[in-house]
Amino acid sequence: MQQFLDSLNATLPLEGYLVVGAVMFAIGAWGAIIRRNAVVVFMCIELMINAVNLSLVAFADYLPNAGGAGVGYAVLVVAVAAAEVAVGLAIALAVYRSRKTVNVDEINLMKG
Amino acid sequence: MVTAQTFVGLLPEIVVFLFSMLVLMIGVFSPRATGLTAGLAAFGALATFVTAVVLLAVGFEGSFFGDAYVVDGFALYFKLIVAGSAFFTVLAASRWSGRTGDAPEYLTLILSVAVGAMLLVSMRDLFGVFVAIELATIPSYALVAFDRTRRESAEGGMKYLLTGMIASSILLYGIVLIYGISGSAELADISRTFTGQLSPVALLGMVLLISGFAFKVSAAPFHFWTPDAYQGAPTSAAAFLSVAPKAAIFAVLLRIFLEGMPEAAPSWTAVAAVLAIVTMFIGNLFALRQSNVRRMLAYSSVAHSGYILVAFAALQGGGVERGVQAVLIYSAAYALMNLGAFFVIDLVGEEAKSYNGLFKTRPGVALSMAIFMAALVGIPPLSGFWGKAWIILAGAQSGSILTYVAVGALVINSVLSVPYYFGILRNMAFEEPVKGVEEPTGTGAVKLSVYILAIATTLFLFFIGPLSALAGASGLL
């Protein structure tokens, strides 16, 4: 038993993080395509960005010469994503005021 | 290490940033001073332009922040384009934004986009590229959705925002994969990864990166947000967004390709050629069906992205130098003619009917519009012709079959685009004027910029010499 617990102490391989990141990205992209509520689409896109961020942090931790710079980038990415959502929710509110809906299928004044 | 030289290198960005904050603060403390804010914003854009001209004239060059930020002739040239179009946009936007009651916010957003675009062209680090692209795009979502009186505006903003955010995450994934495989995000280190046989991860990273960029420059099949965003946006915002950030994104894509992955040229020129062919055809075929002039110009801007991508496809063999020159010249030419065409919409209206008989009622505006339309088709000696000529020359020297095909498609598409550009001309010359359409008041600044842009479009021939000399000395080659 103790031997098994000790074996869990080994470092996880980089691939593990990357696969989780890729799966999260795919789920986010799938959701962004099939969901119709704009706010839920925002959440799916957030999932995509955070999946990328997970890969970024994993790379930064495993790369020999990165010197932790990748983690700094990850913080920047979080800030950028927050700014995007701030503008996004404001626009969603503006659409809701004029149309009383945020369903992306019903937002179809312009065509062609 | 930050030295005083760093501040000199960043001077154009610092100037435009300070003015944007000044405009915003004046808006907070005296919201009624719309004339003052518009004047300050225009002056700020002009001061930025002059700063970049001075830096270019004294031959200032240098790289800062550990080679992540570079100031060279190439970067300064695109800063000129961005600052110049910001200046004309602010002039043209002053009347409309004054009436909305939110003039300071609108002008600050335009200047913020300019800051992002100007930082972008100097970036040599992929994460810097990402942050600068976002700095240019996030305010532009707000710009598109700015017009509260039209429901299309918020809708266009919503569509632009959703696709733009997805594009950003795809672009970021590409950047992270390239960072992971190269161990660094700086272009000099990346070029060592993109040699010989590309690893699958590097290839995937490159494809994702190019897809993200294709979204941002509205290349087909990632163009579908463009017509809705430009139709919904206030006219001055659509004019600015179709010129300045797009030119900056093309510039940084050129830098990434030439500095970051020069040895992978066969792969990315092939991708650029295919994208270019699809983009040109989709842009022009959809533009043919439009009756709304603004939407027509949006599809035309898709087509013009395709033309510039042909120059990217030509960046191989003997076509590299000409190809870089073509991107530089086309960006300047396109900025002049497209800004002008959009501003005329601001003066006349977005329905094709409102152009009827314009030669009789308002000959000056009609003549300017005729010049812009002819330039967009590429009639010599107007500005668009020189851009296309340089692209064709570059393509002819590239020595690749796919690029020859792309150049052929460019010629075919120039012919395809004639009907919809000249349809406006026909309306202006041969139709009877619509009764009861009055000239909007207070359009002096818009008219002035339309006339200046029309004259510059006509006399572009005389800028070609200096521009191509500048392009030759741009530091990328």
Side-chain angles (χ1 to χ4, degrees):
Chain A
M1 186 63 195
Q2 189 57 42
Q3 207 175 3
F4 171 70
L5 287 178
D6 282 344
S7 74
L8 290 184
N9 209 11
T11 330
L12 282 174
L14 174 62
E15 287 79 8
Y17 294 98
L18 295 186
V19 167
V20 172
V23 170
M24 268 171 73
F25 190 86
I27 294 174
W30 179 240
I33 292 166
I34 63 164
R35 296 307 295 257
R36 306 274 53 115
N37 185 315
V39 179
V40 180
V41 175
F42 284 149
M43 288 157 62
C44 293
I45 296 172
E46 281 299 293
L47 194 62
M48 289 165 77
I49 294 177
N50 285 320
V52 178
N53 232 1
L54 178 66
S55 316
L56 173 55
V57 175
F59 274 133
D61 200 33
Y62 278 82
L63 284 174
N65 302 323
V71 182
Y73 294 138
V75 175
L76 275 181
V77 172
V78 171
V80 165
E84 270 184 336
V85 168
V87 174
L89 288 179
I91 292 178
L93 207 59
V95 170
Y96 184 76
R97 280 215 187 110
S98 68
R99 309 286 309 254
K100 297 292 168 218
T101 176
V102 285
N103 185 327
V104 287
D105 278 345
E106 293 170 34
I107 300 175
N108 53 4
L109 273 183
M110 295 172 285
K111 283 210 185 73
Chain B
M1 195 176 65
V2 176
T3 60
Q5 217 188 16
T6 314
F7 289 100
V8 178
L10 279 169
L11 204 55
E13 287 81 6
I14 293 174
V15 169
V16 69
F17 176 73
L18 284 183
F19 271 97
S20 75
M21 289 300 117
L22 192 62
V23 168
L24 189 64
M25 283 302 125
I26 288 178
V28 171
F29 291 110
S30 54
R32 304 213 174 273
T34 51
L36 178 64
T37 48
L40 267 179
F43 181 75
L46 197 61
T48 313
F49 188 84
V50 171
T51 319
V53 167
V54 169
L55 286 184
L56 199 58
V58 300
F60 183 86
E61 287 195 356
S63 73
F64 311 102
F65 306 114
D67 203 30
Y69 189 89
V70 60
V71 178
D72 54 12
F74 179 77
L76 285 171
Y77 177 87
F78 278 97
K79 286 176 201 206
L80 285 183
I81 294 184
V82 172
S85 37
F87 171 70
F88 283 115
T89 309
V90 168
L91 270 193
S94 55
R95 178 179 70 103
W96 180 84
S97 64
R99 279 185 313 182
T100 61
D102 298 313
E105 288 82 356
Y106 189 72
L107 300 171
T108 305
L109 286 172
I110 288 179
L111 294 183
S112 316
V113 175
V115 176
M118 287 167 71
L119 284 171
L120 180 59
V121 294
S122 284
M123 288 296 176
R124 239 182 202 165
D125 176 293
L126 286 183
F127 285 101
V129 168
F130 177 73
V131 172
I133 284 190
E134 290 306 300
L135 183 54
T137 356
I138 294 177
S140 64
Y141 302 143
L143 273 180
V144 169
F146 204 86
D147 192 348
R148 285 194 214 132
T149 57
R150 289 165 54 235
R151 293 205 301 181
E152 291 92 346
S153 186
E155 284 196 23
M158 177 76 115
K159 286 178 182 164
Y160 185 22
L161 176 90
L162 290 177
T163 50
M165 281 174 78
I166 293 174
S168 301
S169 56
I170 291 173
L171 174 66
L172 185 64
Y173 209 173
I175 289 173
V176 165
L177 288 181
I178 292 174
Y179 167 74
I181 193 119
S182 337
S184 158
E186 293 197 2
L187 295 184
D189 300 323
I190 290 167
S191 64
R192 284 197 281 281
T193 308
F194 283 88
T195 50
Q197 184 71 33
L198 294 184
S199 71
V201 180
L203 206 57
L204 181 64
M206 191 177 84
V207 168
L208 288 172
L209 183 89
I210 294 177
S211 312
F213 271 105
F215 257 110
K216 300 283 179 195
V217 298
S218 61
F222 308 110
H223 68 285
F224 40 81
W225 57 271
T226 318
D228 291 339
Y230 290 178
Q231 191 186 349
T235 317
S236 46
F240 186 58
L241 296 181
S242 67
V243 169
K246 215 178 238 183
I249 289 170
F250 272 122
V252 79
L253 188 60
L254 195 61
R255 194 189 281 284
I256 291 174
F257 279 163
L258 288 183
E259 289 186 357
M261 19 185 112
E263 299 197 23
S267 321
W268 51 256
T269 48
V271 177
V274 173
L275 272 181
I277 295 171
V278 178
T279 307
M280 287 187 289
F281 275 108
I282 288 194
N284 281 319
L285 291 178
F286 277 88
L288 282 172
R289 312 172 23 191
Q290 304 305 325
S291 62
N292 182 311
V293 180
R294 210 195 298 219
R295 206 169 171 83
M296 184 273 275
L297 278 181
Y299 276 112
S300 128
S301 87
V302 172
H304 282 271
S305 288
Y307 300 150
I308 299 186
L309 281 172
V310 177
F312 279 79
L315 292 172
Q316 53 186 328
V320 178
E321 192 182 346
R322 268 292 141 73
V324 173
Q325 285 184 352
V327 174
L328 290 158
I329 290 174
Y330 206 99
S331 303
Y334 181 65
L336 292 175
M337 59 198 182
N338 208 47
L339 277 179
F342 267 108
F343 292 163
V344 172
I345 296 182
D346 214 9
L347 282 175
V348 180
E350 55 181 305
E351 290 303 322
K353 282 201 298 287
S354 37
Y355 291 81
N356 289 357
L358 206 63
F359 268 113
K360 281 177 207 147
T361 49
R362 292 153 76 185
V365 176
L367 184 64
S368 311
M369 189 61 167
I371 289 172
F372 296 135
M373 289 295 124
L376 284 165
V377 175
I379 307 269
L382 303 169
S383 66
F385 167 74
W386 299 101
K388 277 186 185 157
W390 244 258
I391 291 175
I392 292 172
L393 283 178
Q397 291 170 344
S398 67
S400 140
I401 304 291
L402 198 54
T403 310
Y404 293 153
V405 175
V407 170
L410 186 149
V411 176
I412 296 171
N413 273 283
S414 301
V415 179
L416 263 184
S417 71
V418 170
Y420 64 85
Y421 289 129
F422 278 20
I424 306 238
L425 222 58
R426 190 200 62 220
N427 281 12
M428 291 196 299
F430 301 123
E431 302 278 337
E432 282 303 305
V434 186
K435 290 277 183 297
V437 178
E438 300 224 343
E439 188 166 358
T441 51
T443 52
V446 191
K447 256 190 178 163
L448 180 70
S449 21
V450 165
Y451 291 151
I452 295 175
L453 290 167
I455 292 170
T457 305
T458 317
L459 302 181
F460 197 74
L461 170 64
F462 299 106
F463 307 148
I464 285 286
L467 280 186
S468 57
L470 194 65
S474 65
L476 256 191
L477 298 169

